[in-house]
């Protein structure tokens, strides 16, 4: 028999990536209690896998204006200009705070340069016209996660709940309380005990990361199921621009090593993309046919170009060539990537690296302002779960970690300033907020979950991927409607499990992506529809908004 318990905190943060831990740390500095919920162990998240770094203006030859311009260009007319400038200008302060917490960014001296040896080694990635990427070797995300985990663990008023899966948000619209829709907390499955807990707090911050597992091929870890976006949608929050799914152009193509990302920083150091015209021919460069910046073009352009070349030639992959750099330099600059390629039998100094595109980043998400505030009072979203307006129709490389650091600070400040307002909005009784199991029983048909999970990921890859058409999108819509109906029946008939929660979230996010894609009658940034191949100037700065009627 399952036990339903209620747990009280001042703040709840759902997710333990960089944005979530940064939020928790800044919220806890007010002295109030903070709960951090994470579906597995604290370090399992997208942030830890980030290789490239943090985009930030740190060089005297660079400027905020130039970073803003590169961001707006990549965003293809859909960025919020005010949000872009605010986030970009707040970058240096966020970096300084990380350094004070103990983050170690690579310096020029560590890479063997004698001039300005103490200066940070600033990398360059696609879409950037200047070197502005701070990095920690090629494991920047892991270094930042390490620092944040240590900082969070040092705060006695933060409690981390590992293996706790968020099911749904507790909102006033579902409880017939009247007035504007407010968030009071979240229903949570304790995976190890099987109990359902009702976490209640004046404010809840969603920091659940991305949704790469909606697609068959992805750079994301298994936890990236879009749970935060799905929960917010079901609770009635506005969801924006879900048609813009970024496919990273260069994932290692190997039969046994899956989901390993080959950082864009390689192209920043001169690596070029090549493709064979036939099985026996020597690979040749091709990006000059698609963009003036060639292999350093924005990611949407590069991913579509690779997809086009693979279809044109019938090849299963393209190649990255960085053989102009010697082995010593490559081992020093890209130690993790070099080691992983060696594991695959590839020496980057002598061999071409086979790569393919894969689902990588959600540019849309829960619609928020630059402080992370959503359309539901008391509910905030930060990191990849949120759509602040920074990324527009295509994220500029390494702007994601910048956003995670900056907006989490803004959100915590806004929440702390409004704490009493949110606290006083709580209902007088908690009884109505408890989770109800009803007549649900244990399931003996796990095959239903496995089959639907696989089918969604396959048709999303085939029909709602890099290259879209109306016919493909309509096929996907027909399939997801049937599957969602089946999942909802299963959900209410059987007791909740972690797999069922994730399947339900994947199906919800898949439908949001499909519906958003059907709404946008143009091609812009990451959304390419062959039936509307051109950008429509009238849709500049026009978001695709979807909101569930409650």
């Amino acid at each position: 028999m399952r036990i339903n318990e209620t747990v009280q905190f001042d703040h709840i943060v759902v997710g333990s990536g960089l944005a979530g831990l940064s939020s928790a740390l800044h919220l806890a500095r007010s002295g109030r209690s903070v709960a951090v919920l994470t579906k597995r162990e604290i370090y399992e998240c997208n942030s830890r896998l980030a290789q490239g770094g943090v985009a930030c203006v740190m060089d005297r030859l660079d400027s905020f204006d130039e970073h803003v311009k590169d961001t707006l260009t990549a965003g293809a007319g859909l960025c919020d200009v005010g949000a872009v400038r605010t986030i970009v200008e707040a970058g240096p302060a966020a970096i300084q705070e990380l350094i004070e917490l103990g983050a170690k960014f690579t310096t020029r001296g560590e890479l063997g340069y004698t001039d300005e040896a103490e200066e940070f080694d600033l990398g360059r990635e696609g879409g950037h016209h200047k070197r502005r990427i701070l990095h920690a070797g090629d494991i920047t995300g892991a270094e930042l996660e390490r620092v944040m985990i240590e900082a969070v663990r040092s705060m006695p008023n933060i409690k981390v709940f590992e293996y706790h899966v968020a099911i749904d948000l507790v909102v006033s619209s579902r409880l017939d309380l009247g007035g504007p829709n407010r968030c009071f907390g979240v229903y949570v499955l304790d995976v190890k005990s099987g109990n359902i807990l009702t976490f209640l707090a004046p404010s809840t911050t969603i920091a659940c990361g991305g949704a790469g597992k909606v697609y068959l091929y992805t750079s994301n870890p298994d936890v990236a199921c879009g749970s935060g976006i799905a929960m917010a949608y079901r609770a009635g929050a506005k969801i924006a621009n879900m048609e813009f799914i970024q496919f990273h152009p260069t994932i290692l193509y190997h039969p046994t090593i899956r989901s390993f990302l080959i950082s864009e920083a390689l192209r920043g150091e001169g690596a070029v993309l090549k493709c064979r015209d036939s099985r026996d021919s020597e690979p040749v460069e091709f990006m000059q046919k698609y963009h003036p910046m060639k292999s350093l073009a924005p990611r949407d352009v590069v991913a579509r170009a690779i997809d086009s070349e693979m279809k044109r030639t019938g090849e299963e992959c393209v190649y990255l060539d960085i053989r102009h750099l010697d082995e010593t330099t490559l081992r020093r600059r890209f130690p993790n990537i070099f080691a992983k390629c060696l594991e695959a039998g590839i020496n980057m100094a002598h061999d071409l690296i086979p790569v393919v595109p894969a689902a990588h980043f959600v540019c849309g998400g829960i619609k928020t302002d630059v402080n992370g505030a959503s359309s539901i009072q008391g509910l905030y979203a930060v990191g990849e779960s949120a759509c602040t307006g920074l990324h527009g129709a295509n994220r500029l490389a390494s702007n994601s970690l910048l956003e995670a650091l900056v907006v989490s600070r803004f959100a915590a400040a806004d929440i702390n300033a409004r704490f009493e307002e949110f606290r006083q909005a709580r209902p007088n009784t908690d009884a109505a907020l408890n989770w109800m199991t009803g007549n649900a029983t244990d399931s003996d048909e796990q095959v239903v979950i496995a089959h639907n999970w696989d089918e969604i990921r396959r048709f999303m890859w085939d029909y709602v991927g890099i290259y879209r058409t109306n016919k493909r999108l309509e096929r996907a819509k027909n399939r997801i409607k049937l599957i969602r109906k089946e999942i909802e029946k299963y959900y209410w008939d059987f007791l909740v499990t972690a797999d069922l929660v994730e399947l339900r979230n994947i199906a919800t996010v898949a439908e949001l992506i499909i519906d958003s894609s059907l709404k946008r009658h143009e091609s812009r940034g990451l959304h390419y529809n062959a039936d509307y191949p051109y950008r429509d100037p009238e849709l500049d700065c026009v978001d695709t908004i979807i909101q569930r009627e409650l």
Side-chain angles (χ1 to χ4, degrees):
M1 180 178 176
R2 286 190 166 172
I3 301 172
N4 299 328
E5 299 178 10
T6 298
V7 187
Q8 304 268 359
F9 282 86
D10 292 323
H11 305 288
I12 299 167
V13 177
V14 188
S16 62
L18 187 60
L21 296 183
S22 178
S23 294
L25 184 63
H26 287 97
L27 286 167
R29 287 173 176 167
S30 68
R32 302 187 182 102
S33 61
V34 182
V36 175
L37 310 175
T38 183
K39 63 172 68 172
R40 301 213 184 146
E41 293 185 57
I42 190 171
Y43 59 80
E44 292 196 48
C45 59
N46 257 343
S47 298
R48 183 174 61 90
L49 301 180
Q51 295 173 342
V54 186
C56 184
V57 175
M58 301 290 288
D59 189 272
R60 62 182 179 276
L61 298 178
D62 196 5
S63 69
F64 292 140
D65 286 344
E66 289 175 288
H67 190 175
V68 168
K69 182 179 179 181
D70 285 346
T71 300
L72 296 178
T73 299
L78 207 66
C79 296
D80 180 321
V81 178
V84 172
R85 180 163 292 280
T86 298
I87 292 169
V88 164
E89 291 182 353
I95 293 298
Q96 183 58 40
E97 182 179 29
L98 272 178
I99 293 169
E100 291 171 1
L101 287 173
K104 304 294 184 184
F105 292 106
T106 301
T107 62
R108 290 178 58 79
E110 292 174 64
L111 295 180
Y113 299 107
T114 56
D115 62 312
E116 300 178 323
E118 298 302 315
E119 296 291 323
F120 292 123
D121 178 67
L122 298 176
R124 184 183 173 198
E125 298 181 0
H128 292 271
H129 284 82
K130 293 290 180 67
R131 287 184 170 270
R132 62 171 69 100
I133 314 301
L134 290 108
H135 63 93
D138 59 352
I139 54 168
T140 308
E143 169 65 4
L144 301 191
E145 270 291 294
R146 176 193 68 78
V147 168
M148 280 297 176
I149 289 172
E150 289 180 2
V152 163
R153 294 287 197 198
S154 72
M155 299 291 286
N157 54 329
I158 299 177
K159 185 170 183 180
V160 178
F161 293 82
E162 296 178 314
Y163 293 96
H164 279 65
V165 176
I167 302 171
D168 265 322
L169 296 171
V170 183
V171 289
S172 60
S173 60
R174 288 181 176 164
L175 304 171
D176 296 325
L177 296 179
N181 199 9
R182 296 180 180 273
C183 182
F184 303 125
V186 59
Y187 297 117
V188 178
L189 170 66
D190 179 344
V191 175
K192 294 186 176 180
S193 71
N195 294 334
I196 304 293
L197 307 176
T198 304
F199 278 76
L200 298 177
S203 76
T204 299
T205 299
I206 289 178
C208 301
K213 297 301 284 189
V214 172
Y215 286 89
L216 186 60
Y217 302 110
T218 178
S219 64
N220 293 180
D222 287 342
V223 294
C225 298
S227 55
I229 297 168
M231 288 191 300
Y233 169 72
R234 289 194 294 267
K238 290 181 179 179
I239 309 297
N241 299 337
M242 287 300 292
E243 65 269 41
F244 298 109
I245 304 297
Q246 187 173 76
F247 289 78
H248 197 287
T250 54
I251 305 299
L252 180 65
Y253 179 71
H254 191 270
T256 59
I257 299 175
R258 300 186 62 191
S259 302
F260 185 75
L261 186 149
I262 304 295
S263 172
E264 197 164 327
L266 268 74
R267 284 178 277 139
E269 299 302 329
V272 296
L273 286 158
K274 296 183 174 181
C275 185
R276 299 184 195 275
D277 282 328
S278 64
R279 187 173 298 275
D280 299 323
S281 65
E282 182 69 18
V284 296
E285 291 185 50
F286 60 87
M287 279 304 302
Q288 70 278 3
K289 298 187 294 184
Y290 296 93
H291 198 276
M293 293 183 74
K294 301 180 182 178
S295 291
L296 270 174
R299 287 180 180 176
D300 60 323
V301 176
V302 178
R304 278 197 301 275
I306 293 173
D307 183 66
S308 177
E309 290 294 306
M310 289 168 59
K311 286 174 178 172
R312 180 183 66 82
T313 62
E315 293 293 298
E316 295 180 330
C317 65
V318 297
Y319 300 91
L320 265 178
D321 187 352
I322 196 167
R323 294 176 295 180
H324 65 284
L325 295 181
D326 61 74
E327 184 169 330
T328 300
T329 300
L330 289 170
R331 283 181 179 273
R332 186 181 291 157
R333 175 64 179 86
F334 304 108
N336 184 50
I337 296 173
F338 196 95
K340 184 62 72 171
C341 284
L342 276 184
E343 184 184 325
I346 301 162
N347 184 318
M348 293 163 54
H350 308 293
D351 305 318
L352 297 172
I353 308 168
V355 293
V356 292
H360 183 58
F361 191 88
V362 180
C363 287
I366 303 163
K367 180 68 174 173
T368 73
D369 61 18
V370 77
N371 294 321
S374 78
S375 57
I376 298 177
Q377 293 187 20
L379 179 66
Y380 287 70
V382 293
E384 196 173 346
S385 294
C387 181
T388 61
L390 173 66
H391 305 306
N394 178 38
R395 176 175 68 94
L396 183 66
S398 290
N399 267 358
S400 51
L401 294 185
L402 172 69
E403 180 185 45
L405 291 166
V406 169
V407 177
S408 59
R409 296 176 75 199
F410 291 166
D414 197 59
I415 291 168
N416 280 323
R418 301 177 65 187
F419 177 76
E420 285 302 319
E421 172 194 341
F422 293 148
R423 188 180 65 82
Q424 292 174 16
R426 277 280 307 278
N428 294 326
T429 175
D430 294 335
L433 308 181
N434 288 338
W435 176 264
M436 302 299 291
T437 301
N439 297 319
T441 60
D442 283 316
S443 168
D444 59 357
E445 294 189 32
Q446 288 295 107
V447 67
V448 173
I449 294 177
H451 177 81
N452 282 331
W453 181 296
D454 186 62
E455 184 174 354
I456 291 170
R457 296 182 69 203
R458 287 185 181 278
F459 75 65
M460 287 297 290
W461 182 261
D462 291 338
Y463 298 153
V464 201
I466 296 170
Y467 183 93
R468 301 166 181 173
T469 65
N470 286 346
K471 186 176 290 186
R472 290 183 184 183
L473 292 173
E474 287 161 3
R475 284 174 181 159
K477 179 63 176 178
N478 289 334
R479 289 303 307 134
I480 198 64
K481 283 171 65 177
L482 293 173
I483 291 174
R484 287 254 290 126
K485 185 179 293 186
E486 186 173 315
I487 291 171
E488 284 303 306
K489 184 178 189 311
Y490 190 99
Y491 178 80
W492 294 111
D493 287 347
F494 299 108
L495 292 174
V496 170
T497 65
D499 286 345
L500 177 55
V501 171
E502 291 194 343
L503 173 63
R504 186 179 183 228
N505 289 333
I506 279 180
T508 299
V509 172
E511 190 161 27
L512 286 169
I513 295 170
I514 295 164
D515 288 346
S516 298
S517 300
L518 285 167
K519 280 175 172 282
R520 187 166 288 277
H521 296 168
E522 64 165 351
S523 289
R524 179 189 296 265
L526 301 166
H527 172 71
Y528 182 82
N529 186 333
D531 292 308
Y532 306 102
Y534 303 109
R535 177 169 155 180
D536 183 351
E538 292 189 4
L539 294 179
D540 286 355
C541 300
V542 177
D543 293 327
T544 303
I545 303 293
I546 295 179
Q547 185 174 22
R548 182 185 181 190
E549 292 186 12
L550 299 175

